[in-house]
Each structure stands twice: as C-alpha cells, then as structure tokens.
Coordinates of all heavy atoms in Angstrom, one line a residue:
M1 N 3.7 19.0 23.3 CA 3.7 18.5 21.8 C 2.5 17.6 21.6 O 2.2 16.6 22.3 CB 5.1 17.7 21.6 CG 5.1 17.4 20.2 SD 6.8 16.8 20.0 CE 6.7 16.3 18.3
K2 N 1.7 17.9 20.5 CA 0.6 17.1 20.2 C 0.9 15.9 19.5 O 1.7 16.0 18.5 CB -0.4 18.0 19.4 CG -1.7 17.3 19.1 CD -2.5 18.2 18.4 CE -3.9 17.6 18.1 NZ -4.9 18.5 17.4
K3 N 0.4 14.8 20.0 CA 0.7 13.4 19.4 C -0.4 13.2 18.2 O -1.6 13.4 18.5 CB 0.8 12.2 20.3 CG 1.1 11.1 19.9 CD 1.1 10.0 20.9 CE 1.4 8.7 20.4 NZ 1.5 7.6 21.4
E4 N 0.1 12.8 16.9 CA -0.8 12.5 15.9 C -1.5 11.2 16.2 O -1.0 10.3 16.8 CB -0.1 12.5 14.7 CG 0.5 13.7 14.1 CD 1.1 13.6 12.8 OE1 0.7 12.7 12.0 OE2 2.1 14.3 12.5
P5 N -2.8 11.1 15.7 CA -3.6 9.9 15.9 C -2.9 8.9 15.0 O -2.3 9.2 13.9 CB -4.9 10.3 15.5 CG -4.9 11.5 14.8 CD -3.7 12.2 15.1
P6 N -3.1 7.6 15.3 CA -2.6 6.5 14.5 C -3.4 6.5 13.2 O -4.5 6.8 13.1 CB -2.8 5.3 15.2 CG -3.9 5.6 16.2 CD -3.8 7.0 16.5
A7 N -2.6 6.1 12.1 CA -3.3 6.0 10.8 C -4.3 4.8 10.7 O -4.1 3.9 11.3 CB -2.1 5.8 9.6
K8 N -5.5 5.1 10.1 CA -6.5 4.1 10.0 C -6.0 2.9 9.1 O -6.4 1.7 9.3 CB -7.8 4.5 9.5 CG -8.4 5.4 10.4 CD -9.6 6.1 10.0 CE -10.8 5.0 9.9 NZ -12.1 5.7 9.4
F9 N -5.1 3.3 8.0 CA -4.6 2.2 7.1 C -3.0 2.3 7.1 O -2.5 3.5 6.9 CB -5.1 2.5 5.7 CG -6.6 2.2 5.5 CD1 -7.5 3.1 5.8 CD2 -6.9 1.0 4.9 CE1 -8.9 2.9 5.7 CE2 -8.3 0.7 4.7 CZ -9.2 1.7 5.2
E10 N -2.5 1.2 7.4 CA -0.9 1.0 7.3 C -0.8 0.3 6.1 O -1.1 -1.0 6.2 CB -0.4 0.5 8.6 CG -0.5 1.5 9.7 CD 0.1 1.1 11.0 OE1 0.9 0.2 11.0 OE2 -0.3 1.6 12.1
L11 N 0.0 0.7 5.2 CA 0.2 0.0 4.0 C 1.8 -0.2 3.8 O 2.5 0.8 4.0 CB -0.4 0.8 2.7 CG -1.9 1.2 2.9 CD1 -2.4 2.2 1.8 CD2 -2.8 -0.1 2.9
R12 N 2.1 -1.3 3.2 CA 3.5 -1.6 2.8 C 3.5 -1.8 1.3 O 2.8 -2.7 0.9 CB 4.1 -2.7 3.6 CG 4.8 -2.4 4.7 CD 5.6 -3.6 5.3 NE 6.1 -3.2 6.6 CZ 6.6 -4.1 7.4 NH1 6.6 -5.4 7.0 NH2 7.0 -3.7 8.5
L13 N 4.3 -1.2 0.6 CA 4.6 -1.5 -0.8 C 5.8 -2.2 -1.0 O 6.9 -1.4 -0.8 CB 4.3 -0.3 -1.6 CG 4.5 -0.4 -3.1 CD1 3.4 -1.4 -3.7 CD2 4.5 1.0 -3.8
Y14 N 5.9 -3.3 -1.5 CA 7.2 -4.1 -1.7 C 7.5 -3.8 -3.1 O 6.7 -4.1 -4.0 CB 7.0 -5.6 -1.4 CG 6.9 -5.8 0.0 CD1 5.8 -5.9 0.8 CD2 8.1 -6.1 0.8 CE1 5.7 -6.2 2.0 CE2 8.2 -6.4 2.1 CZ 6.8 -6.4 2.7 OH 6.9 -6.7 4.1
V15 N 8.7 -3.3 -3.5 CA 9.2 -3.1 -4.7 C 10.5 -3.7 -4.9 O 11.3 -4.0 -3.9 CB 9.3 -1.7 -5.1 CG1 7.8 -1.0 -5.1 CG2 10.1 -0.9 -4.3
A16 N 11.1 -3.9 -6.0 CA 12.5 -4.2 -6.4 C 13.3 -3.3 -7.2 O 13.3 -3.4 -8.3 CB 12.4 -5.7 -6.9
G17 N 13.7 -2.4 -6.6 CA 14.4 -1.3 -7.2 C 13.6 -0.2 -7.8 O 12.4 -0.3 -7.5
Q18 N 14.1 0.7 -8.7 CA 13.3 1.8 -9.3 C 13.0 1.5 -10.8 O 13.2 2.1 -11.7 CB 14.2 3.0 -9.2 CG 14.5 3.6 -7.9 CD 13.2 4.1 -7.2 OE1 12.5 4.8 -8.0 NE2 12.9 3.8 -5.9
T19 N 12.3 0.3 -10.9 CA 11.8 -0.2 -12.1 C 10.6 0.7 -12.6 O 9.9 1.3 -11.7 CB 11.4 -1.7 -12.2 OG1 10.3 -1.9 -11.4 CG2 12.7 -2.5 -11.7
P20 N 10.2 0.8 -13.8 CA 9.0 1.5 -14.1 C 7.9 1.0 -13.6 O 6.9 1.8 -13.3 CB 9.0 1.3 -15.8 CG 10.3 1.1 -16.2 CD 11.1 0.3 -15.1
K21 N 7.7 -0.4 -13.4 CA 6.7 -1.0 -12.7 C 6.6 -0.6 -11.3 O 5.4 -0.3 -10.8 CB 6.7 -2.4 -12.8 CG 5.4 -3.1 -12.6 CD 5.3 -4.7 -13.1 CE 4.0 -5.2 -13.1 NZ 3.9 -6.6 -13.6
S22 N 7.8 -0.3 -10.6 CA 7.8 -0.1 -9.3 C 7.3 1.5 -9.1 O 6.5 1.7 -8.2 CB 9.2 -0.2 -8.7 OG 9.6 -1.5 -8.7
R23 N 7.8 2.3 -9.9 CA 7.5 3.7 -9.9 C 5.9 3.9 -10.2 O 5.2 4.7 -9.6 CB 8.3 4.4 -10.9 CG 9.8 4.5 -10.4 CD 10.5 5.8 -11.2 NE 10.5 5.4 -12.6 CZ 11.6 4.8 -13.2 NH1 12.6 4.3 -12.4 NH2 11.6 4.5 -14.5
A24 N 5.4 3.1 -11.2 CA 4.0 3.2 -11.6 C 3.3 2.7 -10.3 O 2.2 3.4 -10.0 CB 3.7 2.4 -12.7
A25 N 3.6 1.7 -9.7 CA 2.8 1.2 -8.5 C 2.8 2.2 -7.4 O 1.7 2.6 -6.7 CB 3.4 -0.1 -8.0
L26 N 3.9 2.9 -7.1 CA 3.9 3.8 -6.1 C 3.0 5.1 -6.5 O 2.3 5.7 -5.7 CB 5.4 4.3 -5.7 CG 5.5 5.5 -4.7 CD1 4.8 5.0 -3.4 CD2 6.9 5.8 -4.6
A27 N 3.3 5.6 -7.7 CA 2.4 6.8 -8.1 C 0.9 6.3 -8.1 O 0.1 7.2 -7.7 CB 2.9 7.1 -9.4
N28 N 0.5 5.1 -8.6 CA -0.9 4.9 -8.6 C -1.3 4.7 -7.1 O -2.6 5.2 -6.7 CB -1.0 3.5 -9.2 CG -0.9 3.6 -10.7 OD1 -1.1 4.6 -11.3 ND2 -0.4 2.4 -11.3
L29 N -0.6 4.1 -6.2 CA -1.0 4.1 -4.8 C -1.2 5.4 -4.1 O -2.2 5.7 -3.4 CB 0.1 3.3 -3.9 CG -0.2 3.0 -2.6 CD1 -1.6 2.3 -2.3 CD2 0.9 2.2 -1.9
Q30 N -0.2 6.3 -4.4 CA -0.3 7.6 -3.9 C -1.6 8.4 -4.3 O -2.2 9.0 -3.5 CB 1.0 8.5 -4.2 CG 2.1 8.0 -3.3 CD 3.4 8.8 -3.7 OE1 3.6 9.0 -4.9 NE2 4.3 8.8 -2.8
H31 N -1.9 8.2 -5.5 CA -3.1 8.9 -6.2 C -4.3 8.2 -5.5 O -5.2 9.0 -5.1 CB -3.1 8.7 -7.7 CG -4.5 9.1 -8.2 ND1 -4.8 10.4 -8.4 CD2 -5.5 8.3 -8.6 CE1 -6.0 10.4 -8.9 NE2 -6.5 9.1 -9.1
I32 N -4.3 6.8 -5.4 CA -5.6 6.4 -4.7 C -5.7 6.7 -3.4 O -6.8 7.0 -2.8 CB -5.5 4.7 -4.9 CG1 -5.6 4.4 -6.3 CG2 -6.5 4.0 -4.0 CD1 -5.2 2.8 -6.6
C33 N -4.7 6.7 -2.5 CA -4.7 7.1 -1.1 C -5.1 8.4 -1.0 O -5.9 8.9 -0.2 CB -3.4 6.8 -0.5 SG -3.1 5.1 -0.2
E34 N -4.6 9.4 -1.8 CA -5.0 10.9 -1.7 C -6.3 11.1 -2.1 O -7.1 11.9 -1.5 CB -4.0 11.8 -2.5 CG -2.6 11.9 -1.8 CD -2.7 12.6 -0.5 OE1 -3.5 13.6 -0.2 OE2 -2.1 12.1 0.6
T35 N -6.8 10.3 -3.0 CA -8.2 10.4 -3.5 C -9.2 9.8 -2.5 O -10.3 10.6 -2.3 CB -8.5 9.9 -4.8 OG1 -7.6 10.4 -5.8 CG2 -9.8 10.0 -5.4
H36 N -9.0 8.7 -1.9 CA -10.0 8.0 -1.2 C -9.7 7.9 0.3 O -10.6 7.3 1.0 CB -10.2 6.6 -1.8 CG -10.6 6.6 -3.2 ND1 -11.9 6.9 -3.6 CD2 -9.8 6.4 -4.4 CE1 -11.9 6.9 -4.9 NE2 -10.7 6.7 -5.4
L37 N -8.5 8.1 0.8 CA -8.1 7.8 2.2 C -7.3 9.1 2.7 O -6.4 8.9 3.6 CB -7.1 6.6 2.3 CG -7.7 5.3 1.8 CD1 -6.7 4.3 1.8 CD2 -8.9 5.0 2.8
A38 N -7.6 10.1 2.2 CA -6.8 11.4 2.6 C -6.7 11.6 4.1 O -7.7 11.6 4.8 CB -7.3 12.7 2.0
G39 N -5.5 11.7 4.6 CA -5.3 11.9 6.1 C -5.5 10.7 6.9 O -5.3 10.6 8.1
Q40 N -5.8 9.5 6.3 CA -6.1 8.3 7.1 C -5.0 7.2 6.8 O -5.3 6.0 7.1 CB -7.4 7.8 6.7 CG -8.6 8.8 7.0 CD -9.8 8.1 6.5 OE1 -10.3 7.1 7.1 NE2 -10.5 8.7 5.5
Y41 N -3.9 7.4 6.2 CA -3.1 6.3 5.8 C -1.6 6.6 6.0 O -1.2 7.8 6.2 CB -3.3 6.0 4.2 CG -2.7 7.0 3.3 CD1 -1.5 6.9 2.9 CD2 -3.5 8.2 3.1 CE1 -1.0 7.9 2.0 CE2 -3.0 9.1 2.2 CZ -1.8 9.0 1.7 OH -1.3 10.0 0.8
R42 N -0.9 5.6 6.0 CA 0.6 5.7 6.1 C 1.1 4.6 5.1 O 0.8 3.5 5.2 CB 1.1 5.5 7.6 CG 2.7 5.6 7.7 CD 2.9 5.6 9.2 NE 2.7 4.4 9.8 CZ 3.7 3.4 9.8 NH1 4.8 3.6 9.4 NH2 3.3 2.2 10.4
I43 N 2.1 5.1 4.3 CA 2.7 4.1 3.3 C 4.2 3.9 3.7 O 4.9 4.9 3.9 CB 2.7 4.6 1.9 CG1 1.2 4.9 1.4 CG2 3.4 3.7 0.9 CD1 1.0 5.6 0.1
E44 N 4.6 2.6 3.8 CA 5.9 2.3 4.0 C 6.4 1.5 2.7 O 5.7 0.6 2.2 CB 6.0 1.3 5.1 CG 7.5 0.9 5.5 CD 7.6 0.0 6.7 OE1 6.5 -0.5 7.2 OE2 8.6 -0.3 7.2
I45 N 7.5 1.9 2.2 CA 8.0 1.4 1.0 C 9.2 0.5 1.3 O 10.1 0.9 2.0 CB 8.7 2.4 -0.1 CG1 7.6 3.5 -0.3 CG2 9.1 1.8 -1.3 CD1 6.4 3.2 -0.9
I46 N 9.1 -0.7 0.8 CA 10.2 -1.7 1.3 C 10.9 -2.1 -0.2 O 10.2 -2.7 -0.9 CB 9.7 -3.0 1.8 CG1 8.8 -2.7 3.2 CG2 10.8 -4.0 2.2 CD1 9.6 -2.2 4.2
D47 N 12.0 -1.7 -0.3 CA 12.7 -2.1 -1.6 C 13.7 -3.4 -1.3 O 14.5 -3.5 -0.6 CB 13.8 -1.0 -2.0 CG 14.4 -1.1 -3.3 OD1 14.5 -2.4 -3.9 OD2 14.9 -0.3 -3.9
L48 N 13.2 -4.5 -1.9 CA 13.8 -5.7 -1.7 C 15.1 -5.9 -2.2 O 15.9 -6.9 -2.0 CB 12.8 -6.8 -2.2 CG 11.5 -6.9 -1.5 CD1 10.5 -8.0 -2.1 CD2 11.7 -7.1 0.0
M49 N 15.6 -4.9 -3.1 CA 17.0 -4.9 -3.6 C 17.9 -4.5 -2.4 O 19.1 -4.8 -2.4 CB 17.0 -4.0 -4.8 CG 16.3 -4.4 -5.9 SD 16.7 -5.9 -6.6 CE 18.2 -5.5 -7.5
I50 N 17.4 -3.7 -1.5 CA 18.2 -3.1 -0.4 C 18.0 -4.1 0.9 O 19.0 -4.4 1.5 CB 17.8 -1.7 -0.1 CG1 18.0 -0.9 -1.2 CG2 18.5 -1.2 1.2 CD1 17.6 0.4 -1.1
T51 N 16.8 -4.5 1.2 CA 16.5 -5.3 2.3 C 15.6 -6.5 2.0 O 14.5 -6.7 2.2 CB 15.7 -4.6 3.4 OG1 14.6 -4.0 2.7 CG2 16.6 -3.4 4.0
P52 N 16.2 -7.6 1.2 CA 15.5 -8.7 0.8 C 14.9 -9.6 1.8 O 14.1 -10.3 1.7 CB 16.6 -9.6 -0.1 CG 17.9 -9.0 0.4 CD 17.7 -7.6 0.9
Q53 N 15.6 -9.5 3.1 CA 15.1 -10.3 4.2 C 13.7 -9.9 4.6 O 13.1 -10.8 5.3 CB 16.1 -10.3 5.3 CG 16.2 -9.0 6.1 CD 17.2 -7.9 5.4 OE1 17.6 -8.2 4.4 NE2 17.4 -6.9 6.2
L54 N 13.3 -8.8 4.4 CA 12.0 -8.3 4.8 C 10.8 -9.0 4.1 O 9.7 -9.0 4.5 CB 11.8 -6.7 4.8 CG 12.8 -6.0 5.7 CD1 12.5 -4.5 5.5 CD2 12.5 -6.4 7.1
A55 N 11.2 -9.7 2.9 CA 10.1 -10.4 2.1 C 9.5 -11.5 2.9 O 8.5 -11.9 2.6 CB 10.6 -10.7 0.8
A56 N 10.3 -12.1 3.8 CA 10.0 -13.3 4.4 C 8.8 -13.0 5.4 O 7.9 -13.9 5.5 CB 11.0 -14.1 5.1
G57 N 8.8 -11.9 6.0 CA 7.9 -11.6 7.1 C 6.5 -11.5 6.5 O 5.4 -12.0 7.2
D58 N 6.2 -11.0 5.3 CA 4.9 -10.8 4.8 C 4.8 -11.8 3.6 O 3.7 -11.8 2.9 CB 4.7 -9.4 4.2 CG 4.3 -8.4 5.3 OD1 3.7 -8.8 6.2 OD2 4.7 -7.3 5.1
Q59 N 5.6 -12.8 3.5 CA 5.6 -13.8 2.5 C 5.3 -13.2 1.2 O 4.3 -13.5 0.4 CB 4.5 -14.9 2.9 CG 4.7 -15.5 4.2 CD 3.6 -16.5 4.6 OE1 2.6 -16.5 4.0 NE2 4.0 -17.4 5.4
I60 N 6.2 -12.4 0.6 CA 6.1 -11.7 -0.5 C 6.8 -12.6 -1.7 O 8.1 -13.0 -1.6 CB 6.9 -10.4 -0.6 CG1 6.2 -9.4 0.4 CG2 6.9 -9.6 -1.8 CD1 4.7 -9.3 0.4
F61 N 6.1 -13.0 -2.7 CA 6.6 -13.8 -3.8 C 6.7 -13.1 -5.2 O 7.3 -13.6 -6.1 CB 5.8 -15.1 -3.9 CG 5.8 -15.9 -2.6 CD1 4.7 -16.0 -1.8 CD2 6.9 -16.6 -2.3 CE1 4.7 -16.7 -0.6 CE2 6.9 -17.4 -1.1 CZ 5.8 -17.4 -0.3
A62 N 6.1 -11.9 -5.2 CA 6.1 -11.2 -6.5 C 6.2 -9.7 -6.2 O 5.8 -9.2 -5.0 CB 4.9 -11.5 -7.3
V63 N 6.8 -8.9 -7.0 CA 6.7 -7.5 -6.8 C 6.3 -6.7 -8.0 O 6.5 -7.2 -9.2 CB 8.2 -7.0 -6.4 CG1 8.6 -7.3 -5.0 CG2 9.2 -7.4 -7.4
P64 N 5.7 -5.5 -7.8 CA 5.3 -4.9 -6.6 C 4.1 -5.7 -6.0 O 3.2 -6.1 -6.7 CB 5.0 -3.6 -7.1 CG 4.8 -3.6 -8.5 CD 5.4 -4.8 -9.1
T65 N 4.1 -5.6 -4.7 CA 3.0 -6.3 -3.8 C 2.7 -5.1 -2.8 O 3.6 -4.7 -2.1 CB 3.4 -7.5 -3.2 OG1 3.6 -8.5 -4.2 CG2 2.3 -8.0 -2.2
L66 N 1.3 -4.8 -2.7 CA 0.8 -4.0 -1.6 C 0.3 -4.8 -0.5 O -0.4 -5.8 -0.8 CB -0.2 -3.0 -2.2 CG -1.0 -2.2 -1.2 CD1 0.1 -1.1 -0.6 CD2 -2.1 -1.4 -1.9
V67 N 0.7 -4.6 0.8 CA 0.1 -5.2 1.9 C -0.6 -4.3 2.8 O 0.0 -3.3 3.2 CB 1.2 -6.0 2.8 CG1 0.8 -6.6 4.0 CG2 2.0 -6.9 1.9
R68 N -1.7 -4.5 3.0 CA -2.6 -3.8 3.9 C -2.4 -4.4 5.4 O -2.8 -5.5 5.5 CB -4.1 -3.7 3.6 CG -4.9 -2.8 4.7 CD -6.4 -2.9 4.4 NE -6.8 -4.2 5.1 CZ -8.1 -4.4 5.1 NH1 -9.0 -3.8 4.6 NH2 -8.3 -5.5 5.8
R69 N -1.7 -3.8 6.1 CA -1.3 -4.4 7.6 C -2.4 -4.0 8.5 O -2.8 -4.8 9.4 CB 0.0 -3.9 7.9 CG 1.0 -4.4 7.0 CD 2.5 -4.1 7.4 NE 3.0 -4.4 8.8 CZ 3.4 -5.7 8.9 NH1 3.6 -6.5 8.0 NH2 3.6 -5.9 10.2
V70 N -2.9 -2.8 8.5 CA -3.9 -2.3 9.4 C -4.9 -1.6 8.5 O -4.6 -0.8 7.7 CB -3.3 -1.4 10.3 CG1 -4.5 -0.7 11.2 CG2 -2.3 -2.0 11.2
P71 N -6.3 -1.8 8.7 CA -6.8 -2.7 9.7 C -6.7 -4.1 9.2 O -6.5 -4.4 8.0 CB -8.3 -2.2 9.7 CG -8.5 -1.7 8.3 CD -7.2 -1.0 7.9
E72 N -6.9 -5.0 10.2 CA -6.7 -6.4 10.1 C -8.1 -6.9 9.3 O -9.2 -6.3 9.6 CB -6.4 -7.2 11.2 CG -5.1 -6.9 11.7 CD -4.7 -7.8 12.8 OE1 -5.5 -8.8 13.1 OE2 -3.6 -7.7 13.4
P73 N -8.2 -7.9 8.5 CA -7.1 -9.0 8.3 C -6.2 -8.4 7.3 O -6.4 -7.4 6.5 CB -7.8 -10.1 7.7 CG -9.0 -9.4 7.1 CD -9.5 -8.3 8.0
I74 N -4.9 -8.8 7.3 CA -3.9 -8.4 6.4 C -4.4 -8.8 4.9 O -4.9 -10.0 4.7 CB -2.5 -9.1 6.6 CG1 -2.0 -8.6 8.0 CG2 -1.6 -9.0 5.5 CD1 -0.7 -9.3 8.3
R75 N -4.2 -8.0 3.9 CA -4.6 -8.3 2.5 C -3.4 -7.8 1.6 O -2.7 -7.0 1.9 CB -5.8 -7.4 2.1 CG -7.1 -7.8 2.8 CD -8.3 -7.1 2.3 NE -9.4 -7.8 2.9 CZ -10.6 -7.4 2.5 NH1 -10.8 -6.5 1.5 NH2 -11.8 -7.9 3.1
K76 N -3.3 -8.6 0.5 CA -2.2 -8.3 -0.4 C -2.9 -8.2 -1.9 O -3.8 -8.7 -2.3 CB -1.2 -9.6 -0.4 CG -0.6 -9.8 0.8 CD 0.3 -11.0 0.7 CE 0.9 -11.3 2.1 NZ 1.6 -12.5 2.2
I77 N -2.2 -7.2 -2.6 CA -2.6 -6.9 -3.8 C -1.3 -6.9 -4.7 O -0.4 -6.0 -4.4 CB -3.3 -5.5 -4.0 CG1 -4.5 -5.5 -3.1 CG2 -3.7 -5.2 -5.5 CD1 -5.1 -4.1 -2.9
I78 N -1.2 -7.7 -5.7 CA 0.0 -7.8 -6.5 C -0.3 -7.1 -7.9 O -1.2 -7.2 -8.4 CB 0.3 -9.3 -6.8 CG1 0.7 -9.9 -5.5 CG2 1.5 -9.5 -7.7 CD1 0.7 -11.6 -5.7
G79 N 0.8 -6.4 -8.4 CA 0.7 -5.6 -9.5 C 1.0 -4.2 -9.4 O 1.4 -3.7 -8.4
D80 N 1.0 -3.5 -10.6 CA 1.2 -2.0 -10.5 C 0.1 -1.1 -10.0 O 0.2 0.1 -10.2 CB 1.7 -1.6 -11.9 CG 0.6 -1.6 -13.0 OD1 -0.7 -1.9 -12.6 OD2 0.9 -1.3 -14.1
L81 N -1.0 -1.7 -9.6 CA -2.0 -1.0 -8.9 C -2.7 0.0 -9.8 O -3.3 1.0 -9.3 CB -1.5 -0.2 -7.6 CG -0.7 -1.1 -6.6 CD1 -0.1 -0.3 -5.5 CD2 -1.6 -2.3 -6.1
S82 N -2.7 -0.2 -11.1 CA -3.3 0.7 -12.1 C -4.9 0.6 -12.2 O -5.6 1.4 -12.6 CB -2.7 0.4 -13.5 OG -2.9 -0.9 -13.9
N83 N -5.4 -0.6 -11.7 CA -6.8 -0.8 -11.7 C -7.4 -0.2 -10.4 O -7.4 -1.0 -9.4 CB -7.1 -2.3 -12.0 CG -8.6 -2.5 -12.1 OD1 -9.5 -1.8 -11.5 ND2 -9.0 -3.5 -12.8
E84 N -7.8 1.0 -10.2 CA -8.2 1.5 -9.1 C -9.3 0.8 -8.4 O -9.4 0.7 -7.2 CB -8.6 2.9 -9.4 CG -8.8 3.8 -8.1 CD -9.1 5.4 -8.5 OE1 -8.4 5.8 -9.2 OE2 -10.0 5.9 -7.9
A85 N -10.2 0.5 -9.4 CA -11.4 -0.3 -8.7 C -11.0 -1.6 -7.8 O -11.5 -1.9 -6.9 CB -12.4 -0.5 -9.7
R86 N -10.1 -2.2 -8.5 CA -9.5 -3.6 -7.9 C -8.7 -3.2 -6.7 O -8.9 -4.1 -5.7 CB -8.6 -4.3 -9.0 CG -8.2 -5.5 -8.5 CD -7.4 -6.3 -9.5 NE -6.5 -7.2 -8.9 CZ -5.1 -7.1 -8.8 NH1 -4.5 -6.1 -9.3 NH2 -4.4 -8.1 -8.2
V87 N -8.1 -2.2 -6.7 CA -7.3 -1.9 -5.4 C -8.2 -1.5 -4.2 O -8.0 -1.9 -3.2 CB -6.2 -0.6 -5.8 CG1 -5.5 -0.1 -4.4 CG2 -5.2 -1.1 -6.8
L88 N -9.2 -0.7 -4.7 CA -10.2 -0.3 -3.6 C -10.9 -1.5 -3.0 O -11.0 -1.6 -1.7 CB -11.2 0.8 -4.1 CG -10.6 2.1 -4.5 CD1 -11.6 3.0 -5.2 CD2 -10.1 2.8 -3.2
V89 N -11.2 -2.4 -3.9 CA -11.9 -3.8 -3.3 C -10.9 -4.5 -2.5 O -11.2 -5.0 -1.4 CB -12.4 -4.6 -4.5 CG1 -12.8 -5.9 -4.0 CG2 -13.6 -3.9 -5.2
G90 N -9.6 -4.5 -3.0 CA -8.6 -5.3 -2.2 C -8.4 -4.6 -0.8 O -8.0 -5.3 0.1
L91 N -8.5 -3.2 -0.7 CA -8.3 -2.5 0.6 C -9.5 -2.4 1.3 O -9.4 -2.0 2.5 CB -7.7 -1.2 0.3 CG -6.3 -1.0 -0.3 CD1 -6.0 0.5 -0.6 CD2 -5.3 -1.6 0.5
D92 N -10.6 -2.9 0.8 CA -12.0 -2.7 1.4 C -12.3 -1.3 1.7 O -12.6 -0.9 2.9 CB -12.0 -3.7 2.7 CG -13.5 -3.8 3.1 OD1 -14.3 -3.7 2.3 OD2 -13.6 -4.2 4.4
V93 N -12.1 -0.5 0.7 CA -12.3 0.9 0.9 C -13.4 1.3 -0.2 O -13.5 0.9 -1.3 CB -11.0 1.8 0.6 CG1 -11.3 3.3 0.4 CG2 -9.9 1.5 1.5
Q94 N -14.4 2.2 0.4 CA -15.5 2.7 -0.4 C -14.8 3.8 -1.2 O -14.3 4.8 -0.6 CB -16.7 3.1 0.4 CG -17.3 2.0 1.2 CD -18.0 1.1 0.3 OE1 -18.6 1.4 -0.7 NE2 -17.8 -0.2 0.5
P95 N -15.2 3.9 -2.5 CA -14.6 4.9 -3.3 C -15.4 6.4 -3.0 O -16.5 6.3 -2.6 CB -14.9 4.6 -4.7 CG -16.1 3.6 -4.7 CD -16.0 2.9 -3.3
V96 N -14.6 7.4 -3.0 CA -15.1 8.8 -2.8 C -15.9 9.2 -4.0 O -15.4 9.0 -5.1 CB -14.0 9.8 -2.5 CG1 -14.6 11.1 -2.4 CG2 -13.2 9.4 -1.2
K97 N -17.2 9.6 -3.8 CA -18.0 10.0 -4.9 C -17.6 11.3 -5.2 O -17.4 12.1 -4.5 CB -19.5 9.9 -4.6 CG -19.8 8.4 -4.3 CD -21.3 8.2 -3.9 CE -21.6 6.7 -3.7 NZ -22.9 6.5 -3.2
E98 N -17.5 11.5 -6.7 CA -17.2 12.9 -7.1 C -18.4 13.7 -7.5 O -19.5 13.2 -7.8 CB -16.3 12.8 -8.3 CG -14.9 12.2 -7.9 CD -14.0 12.0 -9.2 OE1 -14.3 12.6 -10.2 OE2 -13.1 11.2 -9.1

C-alpha cells in the first residue's frame, strides 16, 4: 500500500455551528485552497459547539478563525475568508497566475 506524502499546508478552521458565516468561511477556504494549493493541503474543521475545549489549544477568541499549523510559524486569520488576497498573504501563499 502506497503511503501519501504529508500535506504541505495543514489548516484548521474553527467555526461555531452551521451559521451562514461559518458556511461562507468553509466555502471560501475550499475555493482558495483548490485554486492556489491544489493537492498540497489538508483542512480540519473544528466546530466549537461540539468540542469547545479545543479552542484553548490554539487560543481561539473569535469564530470563524483559520489556523495555519503547518508550515510553521502558526498563523491565524479571523473572519469569513472572503478577501482572497488577505487570506493568501496570511497563509504566505503566492497566488496562482491565470
């Protein structure tokens, strides 16, 4: 069995339930990742309505919050991730040119 290589970007999206802002953040993140990081990322969704104790580990004070865990250093982006340019700067990712 072939083992997959580790993802270059490990991202955690903290949300609080299925609010419109949470759904928008996930949709925006998936679009950005598929456009600029295809095949190089892994997204973990943490719903703080189900597991609120996980907020302490990454010191989450607002939702939605995106945490880039790998590569280091850890970076956080708060909001619905609708500003693609801001998210790319926060993730330290060069945009794919069209």
